Amino acid sequence: VAVERQRCRRQVVAGPGVAEIGLGAVGDPLHRPAQPHGGDAWTASEPSLEGEYGSMCGIIGIIAAGPVTTRLIEGLRRLEYRGYDSAGIATLCDGRIEVRRASGKLDNLAARLAAAPAAGSIGIGHTRWATHGAPTEANAHPHATSRVAVVHNGIIDNFRELRAELVEQGCAFASQTDTEVIPRLIGRYLEFGLNPVDAVATALKRLEGTFAL
């Protein structure tokens, strides 16, 4: 699920066995379309929601026929020029969400992956500028539960109220970020019996701010 609440360009790269979605700001003179991985790949970009153009950190998502970890890192490297202080990826492997994160540069994340590989043909990645919480591994994205992984740009204005509510319900938080309330909130709705689409939709109705997920 990709949700945008600011005007941005959605960049799509698709080809045999692979589809990628990367988000970047329109009007950024350094923003360049990603190069195809080979074969009959094509690129397209389109404006999304109404409003002002907004600057964003890097978000990439890949669904492929084979392992995506290397492609996620390659995609994040294309967005390095935008600046960041931490990075991470999450992949789906045999029904498990695997998360790898690191503070600092992408080389640190690559080293982490070399030591602890993450398999899977579906994945998301993120480069982060710290807003809520220091630029540490614990605060890096993605944030995940056993069933939900999220990368997020922007601000959740009412995250303190949502966090307090979730803590009262027994949720344990592992970071200082506003982002972590999102997978925790979706997870609660899944526990209540909602299907994934309805759980995400219900959680989104409670989020206030300007953001992309």
Side-chain angles (χ1 to χ4, degrees):
V1 177
V3 179
E4 302 164 77
R5 288 200 178 176
Q6 54 186 330
R7 187 172 176 86
C8 65
R9 179 161 66 181
R10 291 180 295 175
Q11 182 183 87
V12 180
V13 180
V18 61
E20 299 184 15
I21 299 176
L23 301 182
V26 174
D28 183 342
L30 295 179
H31 183 72
R32 292 179 289 273
Q35 295 299 312
H37 293 295
D40 299 320
W42 53 270
T43 64
S45 58
E46 62 184 23
S48 59
L49 303 182
E50 293 300 321
E52 297 298 322
Y53 290 124
S55 199
M56 300 170 61
C57 302
I59 292 178
I60 185 169
I62 302 177
I63 300 173
V68 297
T69 301
T70 299
R71 283 171 168 167
L72 287 170
I73 296 298
E74 289 174 354
L76 292 177
R77 288 198 188 281
R78 293 171 184 165
L79 298 171
E80 271 193 299
Y81 69 88
R82 302 187 62 76
Y84 62 100
D85 52 37
S86 61
I89 68 167
T91 61
L92 184 63
C93 179
D94 296 328
R96 302 186 319 274
I97 295 175
E98 299 280 349
V99 177
R100 303 290 185 271
R101 302 177 296 184
S103 60
K105 296 302 181 182
L106 278 171
D107 287 344
N108 297 340
L109 177 59
R112 180 72 185 275
L113 284 162
S121 59
I122 298 174
I124 56 177
H126 186 265
T127 52
R128 173 185 186 247
W129 272 122
T131 52
H132 294 93
T136 63
E137 181 177 327
N139 290 331
H141 298 201
H143 289 287
T145 68
S146 62
R147 301 181 67 184
V148 182
V150 169
V151 292
H152 160 234
N153 292 326
I155 301 292
I156 306 301
D157 292 332
N158 61 332
F159 85 97
R160 291 182 179 85
E161 296 89 337
L162 293 172
R163 182 176 178 130
E165 175 186 319
L166 291 164
V167 167
E168 189 174 341
Q169 294 175 6
C171 289
F173 282 76
S175 77
Q176 303 166 313
T177 68
D178 56 339
T179 305
E180 194 180 357
V181 302
I182 303 168
R184 301 289 176 193
L185 189 60
I186 295 170
R188 288 295 287 166
Y189 289 127
L190 290 171
E191 291 173 4
F192 293 159
L194 274 64
N195 64 48
V197 172
D198 289 341
V200 171
T202 303
L204 288 175
K205 292 176 182 177
R206 303 202 56 199
L207 303 180
E208 299 173 4
T210 300
F211 54 86
L213 306 177

